Structure formats: C-alpha cells, structure tokens
Amino acid sequence: MSKNVLVLAEVRSGNLRNVSLEALSAAKQVANGGKVIAALFGSDMDSFVTPLAHYGADQIYLIRNKQLDIYTTDAYTQAFTQVIQEVKPDAIFLGHTAIGKDLAPRVAARLQLGLISDCTGLEVNGDEVIFTRPIYAGKAFQKKKISAGTIFATIRPNNIPIGDPNPNGIASTVSFEAEIKDIRTVVKEVVRKASESIDLSEAKIIVSGGRGVKSADGFKSLYELAEVLGAAVGASRGACDAGYCDYSLQIGQTGKVVTPDLYIACGISGAIQHLAGMSNSKIIVAINKDPEAPIFQVADFGIVGDLFEVVPLLTEQFKKVLV
Ligand code: FAD
C-alpha cells in the first residue's frame, strides 16, 4: 500500500543537509508511490524548493516564520507538531542530527507516537517497514518491524544512499502558518567553530587523533592530511581531555557517532567507548606504534609506526595524486 511520508528538511549554513536528502531517499522507498512531503522551516527557504523536488519531494510545506530561522526546541516542537497534525502522514523521517535528536522524541511524545531512533537502514516488504538500528553502542544491530500505525524514525547520517537527482522533478508548495508561542529560550547568536567547516557527522572522510598525537601542535599534521583529503578532523576523548583539541571533535559513546567512508585513526588505542562512535565506518585505517593496540582489531588497514612519520608521508603521497 502506498504511504504519505513527511520529511523534515534541515538547512545548515545555507545548505540543505545531506542527511535530509538521505531521509528523502528513505521516504521514497517507504512511500511506494505515495506522496513524499518535505517541511522547510524559516523565513527565507524558497530557494531550497527546487533541490528538494529534484531529490524526490512531491510537495513542500513552507513554514515561513522568523521564529524558525534559528532552531529552538519550543518553536520547532510546536511548528512541526502542527504540520504533522495537518498533513497526517503515514510516516515521518528526520535526520539523527542534534536537531533531530532533540525534536523527534518531544514531538513523538506530544502525538503519542512510537519513535525508532538512529536508523542505519530500512527495507520495505509489502506493508511492513523493517528498520535496522545499532544497539549496545554499535556492537549489535536490531531489526524493528513496523506494520501498523504511524512510522516515526530518525535516520543516521551517511547510511542511506542518496539517489541521483532528477532535474525534471517538480513539487507543489503549501504555505503553512504555524502558531508559535511561549518560547522559553532566546538564541542571540550562533557562532560556528572553525573546525566545523566540514560537519563531522556527515563527513565522508575523517582524520582522527588521539592522545598519541601528544599536543595541540601535533594536530597540525592531521589538519594538513585532512585538507589534502577534503576530510574533517575528529578526536578521541583522550585527546580532548588532554586539551589538544576542542570537545566538539570528540567521537565516541559520549561524543559524535560517525559513519564515514574512510576513518583514519592516528594515535588512538581503540577503547570501547571510542569504537562506539566510529566502528561502523566503511573503511578504517589505524596508525599506532603499538602493534597490540585494540584499534587494529577493527581496522581494515593497520600501519604500525610513529604517526609523526607516517602522517606527513601520507600527506605527501596524497598530494601527488590529489592536488
Ligand atoms: P590512549 O588510550 O592513551 O591511547 C593512545 C594511543 O596512542 C596508544 O595506543 C599509543 O600506542 C598510541 N601512540 C602513542 N604515541 C604514538 C605515536 N607517536 N604514533 C602512533 N601511535 C602512538 N573515549 C572516546 O574516544 N570517546 C568517547 O566518547 C568516550 N566516552 C567515554 C565515556 C565513558 C563513560 C568513559 C568511562 C570513557 C569514555 N571514553 C571515551 C574514554 C575511553 O575509555 C579512552 O580513555 C579514550 O578513548 C582513550 O583515548 P586515546 O585512545 O586517544 O588514548
């Protein structure tokens, strides 16, 4: 049976987030001929209508409101809940981003819906949708089958392939007035860290440093390698605790969960709490001078050596082929 599927389209730094396109791709599979509806929040979002249409949205709800220009829990919870009540979708998808993680459980609670969070895959089998999600900090995967009721899920970035855009895709638009009141927080300014120029959770390549990097200065060679590869830089908690880098770079159980195509771990031992954040990366390369380091157990390629020698050599070689 076909379904109408609603997707929250997230915009960050003037761009549609990749995970929203991944959510659209998931929505198309589940819709099975039904309508894929995207919701765009903010006063100046019209330029995103065409790209959303190219990536599969049939209809786009524009919730034009200045109070939605910057995310606040109160405003978005009210607006998104009202959109859902209006659209009455059979399924709702959000990215498993900072916003998705904050918003989805609140909206689910308000509407008394179940929520499947952090999905890494899905299959459609007739009327059933079977979601895959990691459990036990990524050590195992759980399958959740939904065959009745409204489906509500958040999608982990970098897991569901984005289909090719259709340059002829068109979508109708609906202007929707949301009633927003009693906002308890005021965001005066959003200051992005320079390190967030490539978003870690959506990065295709991550060069990550641990306590073995030894100092903030030691991270310079990681940034150089990252620049040549077009990668983001991440870190273990060991490196963050030691003050070598900012906590916003921390990957792991209490940091960010990432699934890049390539994860290069430099001077990271591979503690279970770190693996919880990166072990589902598609290819893992570990550079460590200790051949017994646990990171080698999850690595696809291991380099036993001093990172201060290996990383500059890699940068030099990649420069020859990539720059
Ligand atoms: P270390 O374990 O000290 O490893 C450093 C590695 O560098 C060693 O393997 C060493 O052989 C290697 N090395 C040293 N010098 C060189 C060199 N010159 N060249 C190459 N290799 C070298 N950790 C996280 O990362 N993320 C989390 O989210 C997280 N959450 C946690 C939550 C809880 C509740 C707890 C208790 C812990 C958490 N931790 C987390 C901490 C985790 O247990 C480890 O302490 C931490 O991951 C270790 O960081 P590290 O691998 O950088 O340091």
Side-chain angles (χ1 to χ4, degrees):
M1 205 179 75
S2 63
K3 292 183 167 62
N4 291 336
V5 187
L6 176 67
V7 173
L8 177 104
E10 259 189 67
V11 172
R12 186 184 159 117
S13 308
N15 294 308
L16 271 174
R17 294 197 67 160
N18 271 347
V19 68
S20 297
L21 304 181
E22 291 160 9
L24 273 184
S25 170
K28 271 199 288 185
Q29 290 177 55
V30 171
N32 192 18
K35 222 192 271 180
V36 173
I37 305 149
L40 267 169
F41 295 87
S43 53
D44 187 20
M45 292 292 160
D46 293 50
S47 59
F48 300 107
V49 166
T50 304
L52 284 171
H54 290 177
Y55 280 97
D58 302 303
Q59 189 170 54
I60 296 163
Y61 270 63
L62 288 158
I63 304 92
R64 293 190 188 90
N65 190 317
K66 265 206 109 28
Q67 294 181 94
L68 298 166
D69 283 347
I70 295 178
Y71 179 82
T72 61
T73 306
D74 286 332
Y76 268 66
T77 302
Q78 293 173 46
F80 197 43
T81 303
Q82 290 166 35
V83 173
I84 294 170
Q85 284 166 333
E86 167 79 12
V87 173
K88 298 185 183 60
D90 302 300
I92 306 155
F93 290 152
L94 284 81
H96 195 71
T97 58
I99 289 179
K101 283 187 254 185
D102 186 58
L103 182 63
R106 277 170 191 271
V107 172
R110 281 196 176 197
L111 297 172
Q112 305 214 319
L113 298 174
L115 173 67
I116 309 174
S117 66
D118 202 13
C119 298
T120 53
L122 82 165
E123 290 159 55
V124 179
N125 184 9
D127 270 354
E128 287 173 355
V129 184
I130 303 148
F131 290 93
T132 305
R133 61 185 297 273
I135 52 170
Y136 303 125
K139 280 201 157 304
F141 287 89
Q142 179 185 44
K143 298 248 182 200
K144 284 264 185 191
K145 195 189 319 175
I146 312 285
S147 44
T150 306
I151 297 166
F152 197 170
T154 61
I155 307 287
R156 183 186 283 200
N158 274 347
N159 279 272
I160 293 176
I162 302 173
D164 288 334
N166 170 10
N168 301 320
I170 45 166
S172 58
T173 55
V174 178
S175 292
F176 183 80
E177 296 260 337
E179 194 191 325
I180 299 172
K181 55 183 184 198
D182 302 331
I183 298 179
R184 290 165 293 180
T185 46
V186 177
V187 180
K188 296 214 163 166
E189 195 186 355
V190 177
V191 182
R192 296 224 181 276
K193 297 224 163 84
S195 59
E196 284 188 84
S197 51
I198 298 179
D199 182 7
L200 258 183
S201 56
E202 290 189 354
K204 295 282 178 210
I205 306 177
I206 295 176
V207 178
S208 199
R211 214 173 342 233
V213 177
K214 295 199 170 67
S215 65
D217 221 38
F219 262 83
K220 277 190 191 151
S221 64
L222 271 59
Y223 276 102
E224 279 162 22
L225 175 58
E227 196 178 326
V228 173
L229 294 174
V233 172
S236 71
R237 178 156 147 191
C240 300
D241 283 346
Y244 306 161
C245 54
D246 193 89
Y247 279 102
S248 61
L249 302 191
Q250 186 182 318
I251 290 167
Q253 187 182 316
T254 44
K256 294 197 168 100
V257 176
V258 297
T259 330
D261 292 341
L262 174 62
Y263 188 87
I264 306 177
C266 312
I268 294 178
S269 59
I272 186 147
Q273 295 89 354
H274 187 75
L275 301 185
M278 48 62 74
S279 61
N280 292 319
S281 304
K282 292 183 188 83
I283 294 176
I284 298 171
V285 176
I287 305 166
N288 198 303
K289 64 181 187 185
D290 173 8
E292 303 295 326
I295 190 79
F296 287 125
Q297 285 168 21
V298 296
D300 299 283
F301 299 95
I303 302 174
V304 178
D306 185 338
L307 71 93
F308 295 104
E309 290 170 20
V310 176
V311 172
L313 278 175
L314 286 176
T315 308
E316 206 181 295
Q317 291 304 316
F318 280 125
K319 258 189 199 161
K320 285 185 193 159
V321 285
L322 296 175
V323 180

